[in-house]
Amino acid sequence: MPRTKNDSELDTPAIETFKLSKIFPPGVLAVNRLNLKIEQGKVHALVGPNGAGKTTTLRLLAGLSRPNRGSIFIMGHDMLRESSQAKAQLGFLPDTPTAYDALRVDEFLHFIGSLYQVPRDLFKKRKQHYVTRFDILGYLNKYLGDLSRGMLQRTLLCALLIRNPKVLLMDEPIYGLDPEGGFVLKQVFRELAQNGSTILLSTHNLSVAEEVSDEFTIISEGVKVAAGSVEELRTEIGGRANLEKYYIKTLRGK
């Protein structure tokens, strides 16, 4: 049977990098010739020790930092040559949540919906869904500047998901959430992936990464030292070892 355009689009990786490198003065190599290929509909965890280059990698992928070498493709769009098209596919949640302190939560959600031209009926439906899921209904009239870190994180997650981007980049998304909020977010990850979205999350929490992710990339000092599915990584170390044991073994071997 001949392939259709839709078949081709579905085969396009959600995220792909080639020899991606970032150097900070005075010559610190934060990301070193990193190759990634993440298919659509996957939850992919980027794990590694402090200073490994995880946040720098996400900022490069989001177009917030320019690489010194290499290339980035988001849903087939070249981040350097087709920046607008690539960024239109993305949603980015940084590790430190920030927003417009003088806006109320409801005002902020409407602002995001308007900024990204979410159709009114879809905005209303998604807002109701995620405000309920993340339990912020009672905070809609609160100012963003008055929210706790956890509630601000929930609000930013709602705003991001209301946009419904095809690719989500999340830097330590569980950090700051209470156990209930973390549980809901992990459920949402799986639901989004089942509906074709792609999530790349950076985390230090290996048990969370192992629980929600289809695939992993382990980096250290900006270099990819291992990658694969949970099953593949366990096979390499033998038996039913968890990710934490594999992670420690891999970094010690490096």
Side-chain angles (χ1 to χ4, degrees):
M1 180 180 294
R3 297 177 63 82
T4 67
K5 181 178 179 181
N6 287 338
D7 292 329
S8 178
E9 289 173 351
L10 289 173
D11 286 344
T12 300
I15 300 170
E16 194 165 18
T17 70
F18 298 95
K19 298 180 179 179
L20 185 64
S21 299
K22 180 65 179 180
I23 303 171
F24 291 110
V28 177
L29 190 56
V31 178
N32 186 3
R33 298 172 65 85
L34 180 64
N35 293 325
L36 291 175
K37 185 176 182 180
I38 303 173
E39 305 297 341
Q40 296 180 46
K42 298 291 186 181
V43 182
H44 194 105
L46 188 66
V47 298
N50 292 332
K54 301 186 299 297
T55 293
T56 300
T57 298
L58 290 189
R59 289 180 61 82
L60 289 168
L61 295 177
L64 299 177
S65 181
R66 190 176 181 88
N68 294 90
R69 293 189 295 271
S71 53
I72 301 166
F73 294 88
I74 305 295
M75 296 297 295
H77 297 288
D78 188 325
M79 179 58 77
L80 298 181
R81 296 183 176 86
E82 303 172 286
S83 178
S84 296
Q85 295 94 318
K87 290 180 180 179
Q89 310 294 321
L90 286 171
F92 177 52
L93 184 75
D95 59 338
T96 303
T98 56
Y100 302 96
D101 290 353
L103 288 181
R104 299 179 191 271
V105 170
D106 197 48
E107 292 172 333
F108 175 66
L109 295 179
H110 278 84
F111 168 69
I112 294 297
S114 175
L115 181 65
Y116 288 95
Q117 299 180 332
V118 181
R120 183 174 299 181
D121 56 338
L122 282 178
F123 172 81
K124 184 177 181 181
K125 180 180 179 180
R126 291 172 186 167
K127 175 190 167 188
Q128 181 64 36
H129 177 74
Y130 288 115
V131 161
T132 303
R133 288 290 296 275
F134 286 102
D135 196 22
I136 64 170
L137 187 61
Y139 292 83
L140 291 179
N141 288 320
K142 299 286 187 182
Y143 287 102
L144 294 174
D146 293 334
L147 297 180
S148 67
R149 179 186 173 111
M151 280 301 165
L152 180 57
Q153 186 88 332
R154 290 175 184 235
T155 299
L156 295 180
L157 285 166
C158 285
L160 182 62
L161 296 171
I162 282 171
R163 288 181 45 211
N164 194 33
K166 293 182 179 179
V167 179
L168 295 96
L169 308 175
M170 298 193 167
D171 199 354
E172 296 289 354
I174 306 293
Y175 182 72
L177 295 177
D178 58 23
E180 182 181 359
F183 176 76
V184 170
L185 182 56
K186 287 183 282 187
Q187 283 185 320
V188 169
F189 280 163
R190 298 312 319 164
E191 293 166 8
L192 291 170
Q194 289 168 6
N195 289 324
S197 295
T198 303
I199 300 102
L200 175 60
L201 65 103
S202 165
T203 182
H204 292 97
N205 192 325
L206 296 178
S207 61
V208 169
E210 188 170 8
E211 182 180 353
V212 304
S213 300
D214 303 300
E215 305 165 339
F216 298 86
T217 295
I218 301 175
I219 64 174
S220 179
E221 298 177 357
V223 177
K224 180 169 71 174
V225 295
S229 67
V230 177
E231 291 74 20
E232 289 169 340
L233 300 187
R234 282 173 172 165
T235 298
E236 286 192 36
I237 197 172
R240 297 290 296 171
N242 61 24
L243 179 63
E244 184 176 46
K245 290 180 180 178
Y246 180 89
Y247 173 85
I248 296 299
K249 179 178 182 293
T250 299
L251 292 184
R252 284 177 176 171
K254 177 182 180 299

